[in-house]
Amino acid sequence: MSTEPKFPNSEFVGIIKELGFRCEFCARCCTKEFNDHVFLLDADLELIRQIDPDAVTPAPTPEFCDQKGNFYVSGYALRTKPDGSCVFLENKRCKIYDNRPTICRVYPYMLHQEADEFGKVDWRQISGLNEHGRYNSKIEDSECEAIVRETRAYEEAYLKQMIDFFGAVITHFRKNNLKNVQRIYDRKMREFLKGECGLEVFVYCKGGFEKQKLKP
């Protein structure tokens, strides 16, 4: 049986080389204009908590809500400022650049399958294409290959964390006789966004859940 991935490294290398993307430090990817949130893998979370424990928050849009009104989310994210920019962004520069999270290191490269405007599902390799950065730069094969390895490693780690999260939710729900209730999810989220209530969120972390309380 062939072990060649359905989207081979050679094809990804070719796309990176053809586009020739170079960051110009516009910092737009660090703002609400481009990205909803910076999701943290467990390894990222450990490092960020060493730098600033208050810089993390449960990732937005929890995946589940039980009949008791408790929410469940697959991990943490970086906090944002009131204007939606990253908590570590200062004068268009990252204050923790050398220790930035994995997704920040691989951005704008992606390996997601998404539908285009016509509904056709295909691989998405670049985020924010033609909306930031410089293109048509010369990138050596060795650098392209390094980008591919790092991007694929991130995507695999992210998928593993998501799979483990779903498994942990199933185990937790069965053990405690819980179930996901969409109408409670919708009602509680509306109340929270209106400032009428707080939320109790179980955040998946290091194989278990950490209970956090979010103020409205």
Side-chain angles (χ1 to χ4, degrees), residues 89-157:
L89 186 66
E90 189 172 283
N91 297 321
K92 291 189 175 183
R93 291 294 182 269
C94 177
K95 295 193 294 183
I96 60 165
Y97 188 78
D98 291 338
N99 294 306
R100 65 196 186 280
T102 310
I103 185 59
C104 301
R105 292 181 180 277
V106 303
Y107 190 87
Y109 301 104
M110 305 287 168
L111 274 178
H112 298 155
Q113 283 189 314
E114 293 184 3
D116 60 17
E117 63 270 26
F118 303 107
K120 180 182 178 182
V121 176
D122 206 343
W123 289 101
R124 173 186 175 193
Q125 303 90 10
I126 307 293
S127 178
L129 184 62
N130 294 324
E131 295 181 337
H132 57 78
R134 183 176 75 252
Y135 293 84
N136 303 314
S137 304
K138 183 179 180 181
I139 303 181
E140 298 297 333
D141 288 347
S142 58
E143 184 178 353
C144 294
E145 291 165 359
I147 291 170
V148 168
R149 288 194 298 271
E150 192 170 23
T151 303
R152 192 178 292 279
Y154 169 78
E155 298 289 359
E156 289 176 354

Side-chain angles (χ1 to χ4, degrees), residues 24 26 50 179 185:
E24 291 189 315
C26 66
Q50 292 175 8
K179 60 181 179 179
Y185 183 110

Side-chain angles (χ1 to χ4, degrees), residues 39 41 63 74 112 153-163:
F39 186 81
L41 300 176
E63 284 85 355
S74 51
H112 298 155
Y154 169 78
E155 298 289 359
E156 289 176 354
Y158 171 77
L159 288 173
K160 183 180 185 305
Q161 185 161 326
M162 292 299 296
I163 291 169

Side-chain angles (χ1 to χ4, degrees), residues 12-195:
F12 197 4
V13 165
I15 290 170
I16 293 171
K17 196 172 185 66
E18 180 182 357
L19 289 174
F21 173 86
R22 288 292 186 189
C23 175
E24 291 189 315
F25 302 100
C26 66
R28 295 175 71 189
C29 60
C30 307
T31 67
K32 205 73 169 179
E33 177 184 6
F34 266 79
N35 291 301
D36 180 63
H37 66 285
V38 174
F39 186 81
L40 301 174
L41 300 176
D42 279 349
D44 297 321
L45 175 64
E46 184 175 354
L47 180 58
I48 295 299
R49 278 180 162 169
Q50 292 175 8
I51 297 171
D52 182 0
D54 296 325
V56 301
T57 186
T61 317
E63 284 85 355
F64 301 104
C65 177
D66 64 29
Q67 65 266 41
K68 299 179 181 179
N70 297 314
F71 285 78
Y72 300 82
V73 70
S74 51
Y76 285 93
L78 289 182
R79 288 190 180 276
T80 57
K81 299 176 183 177
D83 64 0
S85 63
C86 176
V87 67
F88 290 117
L89 186 66
E90 189 172 283
N91 297 321
K92 291 189 175 183
R93 291 294 182 269
C94 177
K95 295 193 294 183
I96 60 165
Y97 188 78
D98 291 338
N99 294 306
R100 65 196 186 280
T102 310
I103 185 59
C104 301
R105 292 181 180 277
V106 303
Y107 190 87
Y109 301 104
M110 305 287 168
L111 274 178
H112 298 155
Q113 283 189 314
E114 293 184 3
D116 60 17
E117 63 270 26
F118 303 107
K120 180 182 178 182
V121 176
D122 206 343
W123 289 101
R124 173 186 175 193
Q125 303 90 10
I126 307 293
S127 178
L129 184 62
N130 294 324
E131 295 181 337
H132 57 78
R134 183 176 75 252
Y135 293 84
N136 303 314
S137 304
K138 183 179 180 181
I139 303 181
E140 298 297 333
D141 288 347
S142 58
E143 184 178 353
C144 294
E145 291 165 359
I147 291 170
V148 168
R149 288 194 298 271
E150 192 170 23
T151 303
R152 192 178 292 279
Y154 169 78
E155 298 289 359
E156 289 176 354
Y158 171 77
L159 288 173
K160 183 180 185 305
Q161 185 161 326
M162 292 299 296
I163 291 169
D164 291 347
F165 161 67
F166 290 133
V169 169
I170 291 171
T171 299
H172 178 76
F173 275 31
R174 287 174 176 171
K175 181 180 179 180
N176 296 282
N177 196 28
L178 300 171
K179 60 181 179 179
N180 184 56
V181 183
Q182 188 63 43
R183 70 176 185 278
I184 296 179
Y185 183 110
D186 296 339
R187 175 175 58 79
K188 292 280 291 185
M189 192 60 72
R190 284 196 302 270
E191 292 172 352
F192 175 72
L193 294 175
K194 291 179 180 179

